[in-house]
Amino acid sequence: MRAFQVLPDAQPAAIRTVDTPEPKEGEVRLEIGACGLNFADLLMIKGEYQDTPEPPFTLGMEVAGTIEACGPGVDKALLGRRVAVFGGQGGLADYGCFPADRCVTLPDAMPFTDAAAFQVAYGTSHVALDHKARLQPGETLLVLGAAGGVGLTAVEIGKQMGATVIACARGADKLAVAEKAGADHLIDAKTEDIRERCKALGGLDVVYDPVGGDQFKSAFRACNPEARILAIGFASGEVPQIPANHLLVKNISVLGLYWGGYLKFRPQVISDSLATLFGWYADGKLKPHVSHTLPLEQTLDGLELLRTRKSTGKVVITP
């Protein structure tokens, strides 16, 4: 089978022909229908992600497909079931083996491209806004990077939870995508003063930040007392240094979130969240935005779209 692999000794990541894996105890093998790309994939290629495996390994954190083989201890009744799974790796291939207990059965009407774009982005935003920040109806939420893979889902989920949503992104085209997802107010990070616009809108109760850098600093200065800032990632390349004395004066909380980490120490948080999210999808309340769908041979092109921020929502690879 084909697999897009990160190779040892600083060799370029590439498609290789490898043996089709056999499922181990507690695993299923999927015929992979689609795999969503994430910013973390770029970090894994450079060895900079917190859960980077030792190379060689097959890239691809989240997949959707059909169960076509079961390992020892797995109910054979699962054969033929359409599922999504967050495996952390192994998704950019024709087939992959994943833990059976991480598989989520898909709604009948959900295509693989939607399913592969769903778990990490929507899961991150829902756990962040609901479990961590306890976002309340009527509060004001600022979403930085609002047209990106996770940012766009934060706009959707923020509106679903009853917040007033301010979307911040670079350029009119990206802001139009965020507005379509439900944003109430738009800020162009290229040309506008984030702090002044947010203060003019009454200040911020919750900040969702996958960007870091100067945008974090501007949002921080526009926070209301008892605001919660969600540190999701640092796409700008700059990790903010937070002045603790300012946190104290305004009673501000900064909350870190690594969604995949919950699988290790509190998996029920993720399973409960995904049950809510897949229910919302089945009810037509969520609409994943996939800006590019590419074949496996164009995986490098898809990763470049993420690196240069030329995509909106998600990029999906279909083996």
Side-chain angles (χ1 to χ4, degrees):
M1 71 169 195
R2 301 167 303 155
F4 184 86
Q5 293 203 322
V6 176
L7 305 174
D9 303 322
Q11 299 177 71
I15 293 177
R16 301 173 69 196
T17 300
V18 299
D19 292 336
T20 301
E22 292 297 325
K24 300 175 183 176
E25 178 86 23
E27 290 185 339
V28 296
R29 185 171 66 213
L30 297 191
E31 180 179 2
I32 295 172
C35 177
L37 297 185
N38 292 276
F39 191 80
D41 293 317
L42 296 173
L43 298 178
M44 277 196 186
I45 289 174
K46 296 189 289 183
E48 296 176 357
Y49 191 61
Q50 56 261 35
D51 280 340
T52 302
E54 284 295 318
F57 65 90
T58 300
L59 206 63
M61 301 179 75
E62 57 177 334
V63 302
T66 303
I67 296 174
E68 56 96 49
C70 296
V74 178
D75 187 352
K76 298 295 190 293
L78 293 175
L79 289 170
R81 184 169 298 185
R82 299 168 68 253
V83 299
V85 58
F86 175 79
Q89 60 172 301
L92 288 169
D94 293 311
Y95 297 90
C97 293
F98 307 97
D101 60 6
R102 288 194 188 179
C103 293
V104 180
T105 302
L106 300 181
D108 291 340
M110 190 179 216
F112 287 142
T113 49
D114 277 6
F118 198 82
Q119 287 192 93
V120 171
Y122 281 100
T124 295
S125 293
H126 185 252
V127 172
L129 295 174
D130 183 62
H131 177 71
K132 296 288 283 188
R134 307 293 184 188
L135 179 67
Q136 299 299 307
E139 289 191 312
T140 297
L141 165 68
L142 170 67
V143 179
L144 300 174
V150 292
L152 198 59
T153 63
V155 172
E156 269 192 282
I157 290 170
K159 284 302 296 180
Q160 186 69 29
M161 294 177 68
T164 296
V165 179
I166 305 170
C168 181
R170 298 178 67 83
D173 290 347
K174 290 189 175 183
L175 288 172
V177 173
E179 185 175 33
K180 187 176 180 181
D184 299 288
H185 305 283
L186 307 174
I187 298 176
D188 191 334
K190 282 184 177 180
T191 60
E192 296 184 80
D193 186 314
I194 296 172
R195 178 197 180 197
E196 291 305 317
R197 278 293 313 281
C198 290
K199 287 180 72 69
L201 291 167
L204 306 172
D205 300 308
V206 176
V207 177
Y208 182 98
D209 180 18
V211 178
D214 289 339
Q215 292 191 30
F216 175 95
K217 297 172 189 175
S218 296
F220 185 93
R221 296 171 69 193
C223 281
N224 294 327
E226 293 198 323
R228 291 86 75 201
I229 302 176
L230 292 155
I232 305 298
F234 314 105
S236 67
E238 181 185 342
V239 178
Q241 302 304 302
I242 301 166
N245 58 323
H246 292 185
L247 295 179
L248 180 153
V249 170
K250 281 192 172 182
N251 289 288
I252 293 173
S253 300
V254 179
L255 307 167
L257 177 75
Y258 167 40
W259 181 79
Y262 276 96
L263 290 169
K264 299 177 182 178
F265 68 88
R266 201 174 169 190
Q268 192 66 38
V269 170
I270 287 184
S271 58
D272 289 348
S273 171
L274 289 176
T276 296
L277 290 167
F278 277 105
W280 284 353
Y281 179 92
D283 292 340
K285 295 176 179 178
L286 300 176
K287 297 179 181 179
H289 177 83
V290 178
S291 65
H292 296 79
T293 303
L294 302 171
L296 189 64
E297 292 79 9
Q298 289 182 250
T299 296
L300 285 173
D301 295 332
L303 291 167
E304 184 66 7
L305 287 168
L306 291 189
R307 190 187 68 79
T308 57
R309 297 177 177 80
K310 292 182 178 177
S311 60
T312 55
K314 294 286 283 191
V315 177
V316 171
I317 302 297
T318 52

